[in-house]
Amino acid sequence: MPAQAPDKRHLVAPWVLLAIIVALWQAGVTVGGMPAFLLPSPSGVLSRLVVMLSDAATWPYVGSTMLEALGGCVLGAAVALPLAVLIHRSRWVNAAVSPFLGATQAIPAIAIAPLLAIWAGYGLRPIILLCALLVFFPILVAAVVGLRHVDHSIIDAARMDGAGHAALLTQIELPLALPSILGGIRNGFTLSVTGAVVGEMVIGGEGLGQLLTIQRQVNDTAGMFATIVILCALASVAYGAIYLVERRSAVIQSLAGNRT
């Protein structure tokens, strides 16, 4: 029974925090007398959100942003994971690549987006590339850390049983490093959603970033808040789904370690 307490806290605490934030927001609007075009009330944002979600024209924007974010996350992972294996296995690759990895994070997305438009044209492709660049680093770091922290006694036992490099990687190292890798993907996907919105606002597109631009042009502040709520919901759902897979893989990892 006591083991269930943390799960209850994880379910209740976010809603308590959200209620406090909304209450403070409402109090600020009421007491401060802020005009709606500067800061709409929570009820005004909720009403606008309901209207948007009931409008069929909203969902293509949502679908486009999700496609860009998912495509960027997959592309970023497809590049980051093999590179993480190379860094883990080769000291030369590690020495050559490591000094440049931090530098890649110093370039703001809003500065890279116009260059991607010049190199890759406009539309879906440069936005997916931008998302991939944003998710690349957290996935790479998480994968390298996960691979380096695999229990060496398990690897030594597998080598004594005759496991080669490929078998060690696919059957021992990657499965045991999976929780860490999924943690990187989980954090990376939220960045990918951000990259999609930034790309749409700078390069142009058909997703929620474009919708935000339209709403800004007509001073639809409540609509902008509602769109931001949708973006937060998309990122939170993906974050939670990957977190559940991550926890399950951690349990499997623990069971595998106990067997050994």
Side-chain angles (χ1 to χ4, degrees):
M1 290 292 179
Q4 295 180 357
D7 291 334
K8 291 180 180 179
R9 285 196 295 269
H10 289 147
L11 289 172
V12 174
W15 292 104
V16 172
L17 178 60
L18 178 62
I20 293 172
I21 292 173
V22 170
L24 292 174
W25 178 3
Q26 182 64 53
V29 171
T30 303
V31 176
M34 295 288 288
F37 72 89
L38 287 179
L39 182 64
S41 66
S43 58
V45 173
L46 180 60
S47 299
R48 188 72 176 87
L49 179 63
V50 170
V51 170
M52 287 176 60
L53 293 178
S54 60
D55 186 357
T58 302
W59 294 102
Y61 290 106
V62 176
S64 180
T65 297
M66 283 299 294
L67 178 62
E68 292 158 357
L70 182 60
C73 197
V74 170
L75 179 60
V79 177
L81 293 179
L83 182 57
V85 173
L86 286 174
I87 291 173
H88 173 62
R89 288 287 179 85
S90 172
R91 293 181 180 179
W92 278 100
V93 174
N94 181 32
V97 172
S98 294
F100 299 99
L101 292 179
T104 62
Q105 296 305 291
I107 306 173
I110 199 167
I112 254 184
L115 290 173
L116 292 176
I118 293 172
W119 295 334
Y122 291 87
L124 190 65
R125 184 166 52 184
I127 298 176
I128 288 179
L129 288 174
L130 178 63
C131 295
L133 288 173
L134 289 179
V135 308
F136 168 78
F137 185 74
I139 295 176
L140 176 67
V141 170
V144 171
V145 169
L147 289 168
R148 286 178 176 172
H149 283 78
V150 172
D151 191 341
H152 288 285
S153 63
I154 299 176
I155 296 176
D156 292 338
R159 282 175 175 160
M160 290 179 65
D161 289 337
H165 290 295
L168 280 175
L169 179 64
T170 58
Q171 298 177 25
I172 304 293
E173 292 179 308
L174 284 178
L176 292 179
L178 187 58
S180 180
I181 294 171
L182 287 173
I185 293 174
R186 173 161 49 95
N187 293 326
F189 188 85
T190 58
L191 291 174
S192 191
V193 173
T194 302
V197 173
V198 170
E200 290 163 359
M201 296 183 77
V202 176
I203 301 173
E206 300 176 354
L208 292 171
Q210 182 65 20
L211 183 59
L212 278 171
T213 302
I214 296 171
Q215 291 166 338
R216 180 187 62 192
Q217 291 172 348
V218 297
N219 293 324
D220 183 7
T221 312
M224 293 176 70
F225 270 85
T227 303
I228 292 171
V229 170
I230 294 173
L231 285 167
C232 291
L234 292 177
S236 297
V237 168
Y239 188 95
I242 299 172
Y243 177 69
L244 291 176
V245 176
E246 181 186 341
R247 287 191 61 185
R248 179 165 184 156
S249 68
V251 171
I252 294 172
Q253 181 190 55
S254 177
L255 292 174
N258 291 336
R259 289 195 195 101
T260 56

